[in-house]
Amino acid sequence: MQLVGVLALDGVLPFELSIPSRIFGAARDGAGNPLYRVTTCSLDGRPVRAEGDYGLTVAHDASLLAAVDMVVVPPSNALGPIREEGRLPEALRAALSGIRPGTRIVGLCTGAWVLAAAGLLDRRPATTHWAEADRLQRMFTNVRVDPDVLFVDDGDILTSAGVAAAIDLCLHLVRRDHGSETANAVARACVVPPWRDGGQAQYIERPVPAPSETGTAPTRDWAMERLAEPLVLADLAAHAGMSVRTFTRRFRDEVGSSPGQWLIRQRVDLARHLLETTPWPVDTVARRAGFGTGVSLRQHLHAAIGVTPQSYRRTFRPADAPGRPDPLR
């Protein structure tokens, strides 16, 4: 079981504060045992003032951070000298200095400011809420701030954009730790989308179509049922009853990425699921996920998560796991 410590600072945003507990707390193994234990602390163990008109009581002080495997810093609207001067208050600096080497550290939304002020993001890629990205970059010039993405995974340091992007990052961590099947089960339990890639656009200009317009959601549903088929952009546009140009523009407005990028993400996610749950050869998984050949699957999987299909399978599929026949044979 992985231990997760969440640091609540004064001014903490309650929604994001609750996300680690909700997402990681829903992760279970095949026997129903919890995969994470999430505990919340404040700097001194006393209640903290939330963004709203109430306080929050916690059970631990920041000494907790020295005993966990992952530290999560949710956003706060009262960062004071951190945001104004790029300086950590002494109590916060002392708390962060107690984190053991090798501990995974996660900054949600403006929690990235805390990591930056601590020097943890120096010469690293990171993101934060798009409205704060320019200021963060000006304050911390050594940080490679990407204002466009939902989250950044830089190994032991991870950062997310605002609000719901924290859900995406926590689901990504469950997927990275325990595979797509477990992450998808968590998403179902929490009634949230199971997959939004970290590179997806943070700011979607027009996420909800105007009443007089036809959206692309029905076509996305149609494509999800046909991932094994050689779908091309013209097929998607034809199903939606739009020109290719109109469909591409509307798709990007609604989803935040191009149709081609979205289709690859869905196929990669399906391939990961099949690698976890079937003994099928890589070429069969590639065909079933719509990549056609094992070579193509290897290229796309490596580009997405940096590993080969066989390496991914060794990590997430037990050697004695039962198989099932290929439905395409």
Side-chain angles (χ1 to χ4, degrees), residues 13-302:
L13 277 64
F15 177 76
E16 286 91 330
L17 175 66
S18 70
I19 287 172
S21 179
R22 191 68 185 91
I23 298 297
F24 296 129
R28 298 285 191 273
D29 64 16
N33 301 309
L35 295 169
Y36 302 87
R37 181 159 64 87
V38 182
T39 307
T40 305
C41 68
S42 65
L43 289 176
D44 55 9
R46 297 175 180 174
V48 296
R49 175 175 50 83
E51 179 198 27
D53 60 346
Y54 55 89
L56 299 169
T57 301
V58 298
H60 300 275
D61 62 29
S63 63
L64 170 78
L65 304 183
V68 298
D69 306 299
M70 184 193 321
V71 171
V72 181
V73 183
S76 164
N77 67 355
L79 292 176
I82 300 173
R83 189 174 182 276
E84 300 303 323
E85 306 169 26
R87 175 178 59 84
L88 285 179
E90 186 53 39
L92 179 53
R93 180 176 298 280
L96 297 178
S97 68
I99 297 173
R100 296 175 301 174
T103 301
R104 190 156 51 184
I105 304 176
V106 180
L108 303 179
C109 190
T110 59
W113 283 81
V114 175
L115 274 55
L120 297 171
L121 298 180
D122 286 354
R123 295 176 295 281
R124 285 181 179 258
T127 193
T128 188
H129 192 289
W130 59 266
E132 290 287 317
D134 286 346
R135 185 182 180 92
L136 180 67
Q137 185 65 87
R138 291 194 304 270
M139 182 69 72
F140 303 102
T141 57
N142 286 338
V143 181
R144 304 202 306 271
V145 179
D146 188 339
D148 298 322
V149 300
L150 292 180
F151 60 82
V152 172
D153 180 345
D154 196 40
D156 59 335
I157 304 286
L158 301 94
T159 50
S160 81
V163 197
I167 298 175
D168 298 309
L169 177 51
C170 289
L171 280 173
H172 166 77
L173 284 165
V174 174
R175 184 177 292 107
R176 196 176 95 173
D177 291 345
H178 301 288
S180 62
E181 187 171 19
T182 299
N184 290 345
V186 171
R188 286 194 298 272
C190 297
V191 199
V192 296
W195 175 271
R196 287 203 301 168
D197 183 53
Q200 186 167 322
Q202 187 177 145
Y203 178 66
I204 301 174
E205 183 174 353
R206 186 159 48 92
V208 179
S212 61
E213 296 178 347
T214 301
T216 64
T219 296
R220 297 199 301 273
D221 293 340
W222 176 80
M224 287 291 290
E225 297 175 355
R226 295 165 175 79
L227 291 177
E229 301 176 13
L231 298 173
V232 296
L233 179 57
D235 297 329
L236 302 177
H239 179 270
M242 305 176 192
S243 69
V244 168
R245 181 176 180 180
T246 299
F247 178 80
T248 301
R249 173 180 57 80
R250 195 161 297 167
F251 193 101
R252 187 178 289 277
D253 286 346
E254 294 177 21
V255 178
S257 65
S258 72
Q261 291 169 332
W262 175 86
L263 193 59
I264 288 173
R265 284 200 301 269
Q266 309 315 310
R267 285 174 166 160
V268 166
D269 199 31
L270 175 58
R272 291 168 70 167
H273 174 73
L274 295 176
L275 288 169
E276 294 171 25
T277 59
T278 76
W280 303 343
V282 170
D283 284 342
T284 301
V285 171
R287 185 176 72 252
R288 186 72 176 82
F291 287 115
T293 67
V295 171
S296 178
L297 170 58
R298 290 183 188 94
Q299 291 173 341
H300 285 292
L301 190 66
H302 193 275

